[in-house]
Amino acid sequence: MIKFQINAIGKLKKSSVLDLINEYRTRIHSILDIYEYEIKKTFNQSINEIKQEESKLLLSKIPKNSFIISMDEIGKILSSQQFSDLIKQNLNKGYSSFIFIIGGPHGLDNSVRKQSNEILAFSKMTLPHMLARLFLIEQIYRAECIMNNHPYNK
């Protein structure tokens, strides 16, 4: 069983975007599990304190021996094929758990970046939190399709 876990700051609210996220979740093959941990935003502190507090919470939900991918504006931008290759290469190295971290509005603390195996960016553009989550789940589905030679990717 391959496990994908998304640790994200903020809760998804009922919307058409959430409906799309759920649509992709239902398409994902039975050998993949997707878990999501939504962590409440931190308020009433300085930006540095908020990032540190959120980072502790994000990192506390990571199982041992997981491949950690932080989604951050300073990360590498990959094509869908490269993303699929990254997953496949690390499956071949023995990883069966992939953790994706999405920070809050102030981004990720450097402590998260240091613990990450990879740092990726969705785009050079800023995306709303809900669209970032949709984009990630769709790309996980697309990666599965690429690995299984499914025509969705064409």
Side-chain angles (χ1 to χ4, degrees):
M1 182 72 65
I2 303 167
K3 179 180 175 183
F4 289 89
Q5 179 175 307
I6 300 170
N7 294 1
I9 300 296
K11 184 166 174 53
L12 293 179
K13 296 178 176 87
K14 202 167 183 78
S15 72
S16 56
V17 175
L18 185 56
D19 292 341
L20 283 170
I21 289 170
N22 288 330
E23 171 66 24
Y24 282 108
R25 286 177 63 99
T26 61
R27 291 182 188 190
I28 291 174
H29 193 271
S30 62
I31 64 163
L32 298 179
D33 277 336
I34 292 189
Y35 300 92
E36 294 183 71
Y37 289 103
E38 296 179 326
I39 296 164
K40 191 175 180 179
K41 289 181 189 177
T42 305
F43 297 100
N44 300 328
Q45 296 172 327
S46 72
I47 290 175
N48 265 355
E49 290 172 327
I50 289 171
K51 287 169 60 171
Q52 289 172 0
E53 180 65 26
E54 289 176 347
S55 294
K56 285 178 195 170
L57 295 169
L58 289 165
L59 293 171
S60 72
K61 300 288 186 186
I62 297 177
K64 291 182 181 176
N65 303 319
S66 296
F67 191 84
I68 303 168
I69 302 172
S70 287
M71 306 308 298
D72 190 82
E73 63 188 7
I74 67 163
K76 293 185 276 186
I77 297 175
L78 301 180
S79 69
S80 295
Q81 182 66 52
Q82 290 169 320
F83 179 72
S84 178
D85 290 345
L86 174 70
I87 300 299
K88 188 174 183 177
Q89 288 165 4
N90 286 290
L91 283 169
N92 291 337
K93 289 179 184 176
Y95 287 100
S96 61
S97 179
F98 295 84
I99 311 300
F100 295 90
I101 297 177
I102 300 174
H106 303 295
L108 295 172
D109 186 66
N110 209 31
S111 62
V112 175
R113 291 185 194 104
K114 286 179 182 176
Q115 291 196 39
S116 300
N117 299 92
E118 285 285 341
I119 301 173
L120 302 179
F122 291 116
S123 166
K124 291 189 183 274
M125 295 180 183
T126 301
L127 297 175
H129 191 77
M130 289 181 74
L131 290 181
R133 298 262 297 270
L134 170 62
F135 186 86
L136 178 56
I137 288 181
E138 190 278 338
Q139 286 299 301
I140 291 169
Y141 172 66
R142 186 176 295 273
E144 179 198 21
C145 290
I146 291 169
M147 287 187 275
N148 292 319
N149 296 314
H150 187 279
Y152 174 79
N153 190 50
K154 306 293 182 214

